[in-house]
Amino acid sequence: MAEKIDGKLISQQIKDELKEKVAALAAEGKTCALAVIQVGNDPASSVYVGNKKKTCAYIGIESIAYELPEETSEQELLDIIDKLNKDPKVNGILCQLPLPSHINEDHVIHAISPEKDVDGFHPRNVGALVIGEKGFVSCTPAGIIQLLKRSNIEIAGKHCVVIGRSNIVGKPMALLMLRENATVTICHSRTQNLKEICKEADILIVAIGKPKFINADYVKEGAVVIDVGIHRNEDNKLCGDVDFDSVEPKASYITPVPGGVGPMTIAMLMNNCVEAFMD
Ligand code: GUN
């Protein structure tokens, strides 16, 4: 039976550590602010943005909300970002994705100053990760590293298989595991013999985007299994990319959904905001 990695508990520890740091800075009269931009009112984005603002309030970071109408033009959005880039009171800038289809996401990602890019999406921050320089790291993969480290799971020398190659999760995840001295394999939709490769993994990180896709047949006895997926099943219950009931008896550690990787993303966003402020 696997030990469950409690992402809710670990994220709470991180948030409390950050709250203390922010309080110490506030005592010196220093305040930290995050600009949170949402264009349109996609319901899922509204939930995420609401949680980000709530967590800012908990930690003591000021959140400056920009709730822009769906019809906002790309230029209007870029002008707001330019103003925020130049505003010394603003330490971090986050533009919630996805954006309406008439706005080019790449233009927006490039426009945010790398020093305020707390999402870690700017090519300069991605490049810094590739060559091992300091920079902001995408929050979900950074959160997974924290889950592993705070659960005392050895990474160096282990074979890590990452399923998924997105810019936000798969690619930075693979780079972070490499930085921690794992041997890394990246699998994706065109990978042949996925099952055989997964069965070689000491640490299997699944961001495949298909509910309950990974069952015990994909998992080596004693492997660590990290599930990045989040879906609603037929009964409207949340589930991940991993078939938890099938994999749990075979794994040594496993993240549940909900309460595994999910809560770590916001904790690491807050960590990036505090870093943006300290630098
Ligand atoms: N949409 C889904 N996840 C994210 C994220 O981590 N950051 C931003 N900005 N948008 C998202």
Side-chain angles (χ1 to χ4, degrees), residues 97-230:
L97 304 178
L99 288 164
S101 55
H102 64 275
I103 299 177
N104 184 320
E105 285 185 357
D106 285 341
H107 294 170
V108 174
I109 288 170
H110 280 74
I112 295 173
S113 161
E115 285 79 23
K116 299 190 180 187
D117 168 40
V118 285
D119 263 325
F121 294 167
H122 191 283
R124 211 170 88 193
N125 283 317
V126 178
L129 175 60
V130 174
I131 60 172
E133 284 186 0
K134 197 168 155 28
F136 292 113
V137 177
S138 183
C139 301
T140 301
I144 291 170
I145 295 290
Q146 286 301 312
L147 287 179
L148 296 170
K149 287 195 167 172
R150 289 175 186 244
S151 304
N152 297 314
I153 294 166
E154 178 90 35
I155 303 175
K158 301 294 181 196
H159 184 196
C160 174
V161 174
V162 179
I163 316 179
R165 55 173 158 177
S166 71
N167 289 342
I168 294 182
V169 179
K171 283 182 205 158
M173 188 74 246
L175 288 161
L176 282 173
M177 293 303 276
L178 185 61
R179 192 162 89 178
E180 298 294 334
N181 300 307
T183 301
V184 181
T185 304
I186 306 175
C187 298
H188 47 78
S189 52
R190 304 289 290 273
T191 296
Q192 295 177 3
N193 57 358
L194 178 67
K195 199 179 275 182
E196 286 65 36
I197 297 171
C198 289
K199 282 186 94 153
E200 295 288 314
D202 302 309
I203 302 173
L204 180 62
I205 302 178
V206 188
I208 200 170
K210 293 180 186 166
K212 296 191 182 185
F213 185 88
I214 296 296
N215 61 29
D217 295 345
Y218 288 78
V219 176
K220 179 167 81 174
E221 191 76 41
V224 175
V225 180
I226 305 291
D227 188 352
V228 184
I230 185 148

Side-chain angles (χ1 to χ4, degrees), residues 52 94-98 119 121 168 265:
K52 288 171 187 179
L94 177 149
C95 185
Q96 188 66 25
L97 304 178
D119 263 325
F121 294 167
I168 294 182
T265 302

Side-chain angles (χ1 to χ4, degrees), residues 36 64 90 142 163 182 185 228 244 250 279:
V36 182
I64 306 164
V90 174
I163 316 179
T185 304
V228 184
F244 187 90
K250 211 169 179 186
D279 287 344

